[in-house]
Amino acid sequence: MDHYFFFTHGRRYDPLPGFNGFIVVELSDRPVRYHIQPTFIGGMNADECHTMALAACRIACTSADAVRGKLSVDRLHRAMTQPCLERLRTMQYLLDAHMLTHPSDKAKFCYLPTVPTLIDGVIVSQETLEMAVFMTIGQEDVRVTLRFRFIGSRWMCQYADLG
């Protein structure tokens, strides 16, 4: 277990407990480990963290497949804000244009499945959660960074960066 100690005015405070677990995904040969660390007392519980790890993994894999042209970006319309979807569409367009002139990159990146390997998250506030999903596509290591915001009555992805 990781220990994070907080010092304020010379006093030491007990560490904030993190949430650790595993999720099972069909393309991975073993469960995918996750760690979610809160930055304040209260907030999400273990079940909510598990649910968010599943959602982050699904959104990251779907985003990677959409950018590579294997799926429509519109499949994410219920999980992402409109500005986030538009940025993903732009990335899809730019990657598609790049792949037309770089067929060797297309062969390495566009045909093999996305396989998640690790999920790491930070609960920033009551309404903000940031996650990084580490995955492989063939021999390439890829990280998808996501920011979720609690909007209305549900968590929505408002930022997704693939790299």
Side-chain angles (χ1 to χ4, degrees):
M1 180 174 155
D2 297 327
H3 295 285
Y4 300 91
F5 295 97
F6 295 92
F7 294 88
T8 303
H9 305 291
R11 293 176 40 187
R12 179 181 148 190
Y13 291 88
D14 290 332
L16 291 172
F19 298 97
N20 298 294
F22 295 90
I23 60 170
V24 177
V25 295
E26 68 181 63
L27 292 177
S28 183
D29 58 350
R30 60 180 171 230
V32 178
R33 184 172 64 90
Y34 69 84
H35 172 78
I36 300 176
Q37 184 64 47
T39 59
F40 60 94
I41 296 171
M44 300 175 81
N45 63 36
D47 288 339
E48 292 167 324
C49 287
H50 184 81
T51 299
M52 289 309 296
L54 281 167
C57 188
R58 181 184 56 80
I59 290 169
C61 291
T62 304
S63 295
D65 286 345
V67 165
R68 297 184 307 154
K70 296 179 90 165
L71 297 172
S72 169
V73 172
D74 292 331
R75 291 187 106 195
L76 293 161
H77 80 278
R78 292 182 47 82
M80 289 184 165
T81 62
Q82 197 60 40
C84 189
L85 286 169
E86 290 305 318
R87 286 190 296 269
L88 212 55
R89 281 189 188 95
T90 300
M91 187 174 184
Q92 180 185 39
Y93 172 79
L94 293 171
L95 186 63
D96 189 46
H98 173 79
M99 293 302 173
L100 288 174
T101 58
H102 296 83
S104 62
D105 287 349
K106 187 171 186 170
K108 281 192 313 191
F109 189 67
C110 289
Y111 301 118
L112 298 168
T114 56
V115 181
T117 55
L118 174 68
I119 302 166
D120 197 19
V122 176
I123 304 169
V124 179
S125 71
Q126 292 281 11
E127 58 276 332
T128 305
L129 171 66
E130 295 185 3
M131 306 280 277
V133 179
F134 298 83
M135 60 179 65
T136 58
I137 298 175
Q139 299 298 314
E140 301 296 316
D141 290 326
V142 178
R143 179 174 55 199
V144 179
T145 305
L146 305 166
R147 182 184 312 119
F148 292 91
R149 194 107 171 119
F150 197 75
I151 300 171
S153 61
R154 63 188 175 134
W155 289 97
M156 296 285 291
C157 181
Q158 74 172 160
Y159 176 84
D161 182 42
L162 290 79

